[in-house]
């Protein structure tokens, strides 16, 4: 069976590692965020917008959108939802109603597939290898800061070592991972196609005979 699971907010921060088991789970979207509390109010969206107007679009991203919500909080969008990555800088205090205007800001990087899977795999592997959680999260924060900085929106928080992300959509590195991929991805797909009456087509696609499919346990061919 296949499942779709969405975890948001503090729950995602706490439980993501329990459900992300590469390569058995494919991540289609992940949001990395850094929240900054300022001692004095600053309109970071306005400052970034003025800087972009002076220097022009930075890096590969050339789409910037500035909006103001009903509560007065501003948001700067970097990129678009059709892109693999999109950034948001917005007044988190106004959104939650927990802080004064222009004092709590959030830099948020929305990553879509296939890179979302690569980001989660990098985090999972680092933690599985024993790297301290705080260090891994700091590297994620640095990744967010670098992403915005290279697009002309300089972050107001300090960044350190950036987490390296290998852009590989499907990376099956060991025998056990290959078997897990066959069990959780290929076998269910073969079963679904056979149930649709496409058994002979499946056999031809796999380069085997129908009888071999039956011997493999697909009795409905």
């Amino acid at each position: 069976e296949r499942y779709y699971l969405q975890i948001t907010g503090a729950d995602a921060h706490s439980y993501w590692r329990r459900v992300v088991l590469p390569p058995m789970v494919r991540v289609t979207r992940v949001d990395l965020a850094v929240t900054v509390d300022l001692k004095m109010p600053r309109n970071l969206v306005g400052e970034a917008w003025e800087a972009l107007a002076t220097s022009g679009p930075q890096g590969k991203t050339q789409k910037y959108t500035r909006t103001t919500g009903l509560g007065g909080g501003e948001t700067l969008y970097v990129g678009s939802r059709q892109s693999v990555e999109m950034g948001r800088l917005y007044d988190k205090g106004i959104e939650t109603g927990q802080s004064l205007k222009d004092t709590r800001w959030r830099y948020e990087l929305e990553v879509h597939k296939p890179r979302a899977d690569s980001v989660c795999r990098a985090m999972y592997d680092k933690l599985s290898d024993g790297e301290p959680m705080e260090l891994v999260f700091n590297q994620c924060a640095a990744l967010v800061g670098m992403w915005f900085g290279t697009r002309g929106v300089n972050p107001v928080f300090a960044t350190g070592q950036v987490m390296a992300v290998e852009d590989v959509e499907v990376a099956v590195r060991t025998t056990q991972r290959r078997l897990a991929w066959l069990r959780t991805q290929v076998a269910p797909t073969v079963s679904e196609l056979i149930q649709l009456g496409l058994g002979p087509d499946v056999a031809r696609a796999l380069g085997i005979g129908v009888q071999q499919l039956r011997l493999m346990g697909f009795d409905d061919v």
Side-chain angles (χ1 to χ4, degrees):
E1 297 183 2
R2 299 181 181 182
Y3 300 91
Y4 173 79
L5 176 64
Q6 178 176 331
I7 312 176
T8 60
D11 290 336
H13 183 82
S14 300
Y15 297 112
W16 71 272
R17 194 181 171 197
R18 301 186 185 183
V19 295
V20 176
L21 301 173
M24 291 181 284
V25 172
R26 302 299 302 279
V27 179
T28 58
R29 171 179 167 179
V30 61
D31 293 357
L32 304 177
V34 177
T35 303
V36 179
D37 288 312
L38 303 178
K39 294 182 179 179
M40 298 294 294
R42 285 176 59 184
N43 186 346
L44 297 186
V45 166
E47 293 177 13
W49 191 258
E50 291 181 8
L52 290 168
T54 302
S55 61
Q58 303 294 310
K60 296 181 180 180
T61 300
Q62 299 185 14
K63 182 174 182 180
Y64 301 85
T65 306
R66 182 182 182 182
T67 64
T68 302
L70 295 176
E74 290 198 74
T75 300
L76 175 65
Y77 294 92
V78 183
S80 66
R81 290 190 180 276
Q82 287 70 43
S83 304
V84 175
E85 297 173 324
M86 183 188 76
R88 285 183 292 269
L89 169 61
Y90 62 96
D91 192 326
K92 184 66 176 177
I94 290 295
E95 184 200 49
T96 60
Q98 297 177 345
S99 301
L100 296 176
K101 187 175 184 296
D102 294 342
T103 58
R104 172 170 286 186
W105 291 93
R106 173 164 288 182
Y107 295 81
E108 193 167 272
L109 175 57
E110 180 180 313
V111 187
H112 300 156
K113 63 178 183 180
R115 188 164 170 80
D117 205 51
S118 300
V119 169
C120 283
R121 181 179 292 110
M123 294 172 63
Y124 183 89
D125 288 346
K126 282 178 172 292
L127 293 172
S128 297
D129 290 340
E131 290 197 31
M133 184 176 296
E134 182 178 355
L135 176 61
V136 175
F137 289 164
N138 285 341
Q139 291 178 359
C140 289
L143 177 64
V144 173
M146 182 192 70
W147 191 92
F148 277 93
T150 57
R151 289 159 177 79
V153 182
N154 295 322
V156 297
F157 58 92
T159 60
Q161 180 182 355
V162 177
M163 182 180 68
V165 178
E166 182 182 357
D167 287 314
V168 179
E169 184 173 0
V170 179
V172 184
R173 302 176 183 173
T174 67
T175 301
Q176 290 302 317
R177 287 187 177 184
R178 289 189 176 94
L179 291 173
W181 178 69
L182 287 172
R183 182 174 60 253
T184 61
Q185 301 295 326
V186 177
T189 301
V190 170
S191 295
E192 290 176 10
L193 292 173
I194 289 175
Q195 290 173 9
L196 292 173
L198 300 174
D201 297 292
V202 172
R204 282 192 294 272
L206 295 175
I208 60 178
V210 171
Q211 185 59 32
Q212 288 176 286
L213 272 180
R214 294 194 180 99
L215 292 174
M216 293 165 61
F218 298 103
D219 300 325
D220 296 331
V221 181

